[in-house]
Every structure is written in structure tokens, then in C-alpha cells.
Amino acid sequence: FRICDATRDGTCARLEAEAVKLGATRLPATNAWTFAGEARRELRAQGDKTRDGALRDFLVRGDRFRCLRRQEEVSMASVEALAPRPNDIVLDCCAAPGSKTTQLVERCEGGCVVAVEYDPRMVRELTKRVEQAPDLKRRLELIHANVLKTALPYFDVCVANIPYQISSPLVFKLLSHQSKFRCAVLMVQREFAQRLCAKPGDELYCRLSVNAQLLAKVDHLMKVSKNSFRPPPKVCSRALVATRPPARRFSNDNFAR
């Protein structure tokens, strides 16, 4: 197993110290850790239930930590693709207490991040993360509301980890927003993403593809495994990049009619 600095809060050092106490050794060649001699089987044979339970608990927490690491990789890729500028107003839909929102706040030195979240637990955790840093707190505007029922403010770029059940209404609410936004990074269910990106002649090309590509240029960014979440969903996800096309000469309202 590997221990990586995914959360940037000292968890990595604590896990390494626990691993050493439980008998793990580091492999210099790969920087991985191993329990030599099948430690759990030996502990069970010796009847050492206390240490066996501690080791089992450590492995469970390590699995959660690996999940956090995968989430960190997705967050970093999303922020890099978004490429926020120092004075940008960033809209973070369905925000979470992970590093994505924190990274965005750190980059927007002269702008701000508007984070919209409906779950009160996420709102509390996100508030705690910036409570001890007044400079970051000043650049974060947290809106506790249902994103579908809330009037969204002006924004330059947007990132959204979209719940599967509201994918279609939220995607089109963002793409048709009056803000002439530069870029949006959207995480959606894999099958939904494939339809958004489908080209004329593809088997999955449909009305959803036409409507989305009328409003923006949609490209694939990266695959997101279901093991990146706890508990894991039954389907995989995709991260997409949507950029606004050049201004069209016709009215969207007239075209729709």
C-alpha cells in the first residue's frame, strides 16, 4: 500500500507513524509500504485481537485515505483545466470540503469564489476550513441553497460536481446562464457525458448533444473511477470542459421557436 499527502493536513505523517508501530516496512525502490510476513494472519494465529483490530482499522482508514488521494487528483486536474485568473469570479456548484474549493480560493487573489451547497454538513465543514484563515474567508462567498432554485450570480469560470439526478437541468442552467463565462468544468455520469460529447453520426448523438453543443463546445477531460468516492456509486463518472463558442448572429430564442 502507499501513503500519499492527499489532504495536506498532517494525515500522511500520522499514518506513517501508525504503520511503523503496527510492523509495516517501507520499500525504498517503490516508496510503498508492506506488512511483511502477512502480519494479520500471524496476529490472528497468536490470538492478539487488540493489535489485529488496530491493524484492520488502520487498513480501513488507509483505504479511505487512498480515496481522498484519488479525489485530490481529480480536483487538481479540474482546477488546472479551469485555469482561473487572479481577478476571476469562480462559481463552485455543489461545493464540498475537499481541496478543490480551497485551491480555487487561493488562486483568486483579487476575485472571489461563490460556492453553492445544499447539504448543511458540507456547509459546516467548508466553513471550518476557511475559519482560521481570514484572507481566504474574505474571498469565499458561501451560499447554502438548492442550486436549481437559486438565481446564480455573474461568474467568469465555473466548476461543478453534479449529482446524477439533476445532471440535465443543472448543466443547461449553467450553459444558458447570462454570464459570458470563459470555461466550465463539469463532472457528470459517464453515459450522460458521452451523450454531451457525441458528434453527428455517432450512435449516442441525440437531442441532448445538439442542445449542449449549441450553447458550448464540450470536450472530454478525464475519467473518474467510482472508487474515487465513498460509498462508491454503481457507475463511473467523467469530467468535461465546456467553453463558450464565438457569438452567434441569430437569437437563441428565435432559433428555439
Side-chain angles (χ1 to χ4, degrees), residues 184-255:
V185 176
L186 313 172
M187 188 185 301
V188 294
Q189 184 177 340
R190 179 180 60 188
E191 290 75 15
F192 186 81
Q194 291 171 336
R195 286 175 170 79
L196 285 179
C197 296
K199 304 301 180 185
D202 292 349
E203 183 179 352
L204 294 176
Y205 191 71
C206 59
R207 183 176 64 179
L208 180 67
S209 316
V210 175
N211 291 336
Q213 293 168 32
L214 172 67
L215 299 170
K217 181 177 182 292
V218 186
D219 296 303
H220 171 76
L221 174 61
M222 65 183 299
K223 298 178 181 179
V224 182
S225 168
K226 57 186 177 183
N227 294 322
S228 299
F229 306 96
R230 284 290 180 272
K234 295 181 179 180
V235 295
C236 294
S237 303
R238 294 281 176 92
L240 305 175
V241 179
T243 52
R244 277 288 175 89
R248 300 177 185 274
R249 295 184 178 180
F250 56 81
S251 165
N252 283 342
D253 292 336
N254 292 335
F255 183 82

Side-chain angles (χ1 to χ4, degrees), residues 7-21:
T7 54
R8 304 179 185 178
D9 61 357
T11 304
C12 180
R14 291 197 298 271
L15 284 174
E16 287 182 351
E18 283 191 59
V20 172
K21 288 181 180 179

Side-chain angles (χ1 to χ4, degrees), residues 89 91 93 147 150-158 169-182 184 215-216 244 252:
I89 297 175
L91 178 65
C93 285
V147 68
T150 302
L152 299 177
Y154 171 89
F155 58 91
D156 297 298
V157 291
C158 169
L170 182 52
V171 164
F172 284 101
K173 180 173 183 175
L174 293 172
L175 295 183
S176 60
H177 194 266
Q178 60 183 356
S179 298
K180 302 300 180 184
F181 67 87
R182 189 170 65 252
L215 299 170
R244 277 288 175 89
N252 283 342

Side-chain angles (χ1 to χ4, degrees), residues 6-7 60-74 225-232:
T7 54
V60 169
R61 282 184 286 116
D63 184 54
R64 293 173 183 166
F65 192 73
R66 285 192 294 274
C67 174
L68 288 174
R69 181 193 172 200
R70 287 189 288 265
Q71 291 177 5
E72 173 76 2
E73 292 171 349
V74 174
S225 168
K226 57 186 177 183
N227 294 322
S228 299
F229 306 96
R230 284 290 180 272

Side-chain angles (χ1 to χ4, degrees), residues 96-118:
S99 68
K100 169 174 60 70
T101 304
T102 307
Q103 289 180 55
L104 291 171
V105 174
E106 290 173 349
R107 290 200 179 198
C108 296
E109 298 175 358
C112 71
V113 175
V114 181
V116 184
E117 177 55 56
Y118 182 67

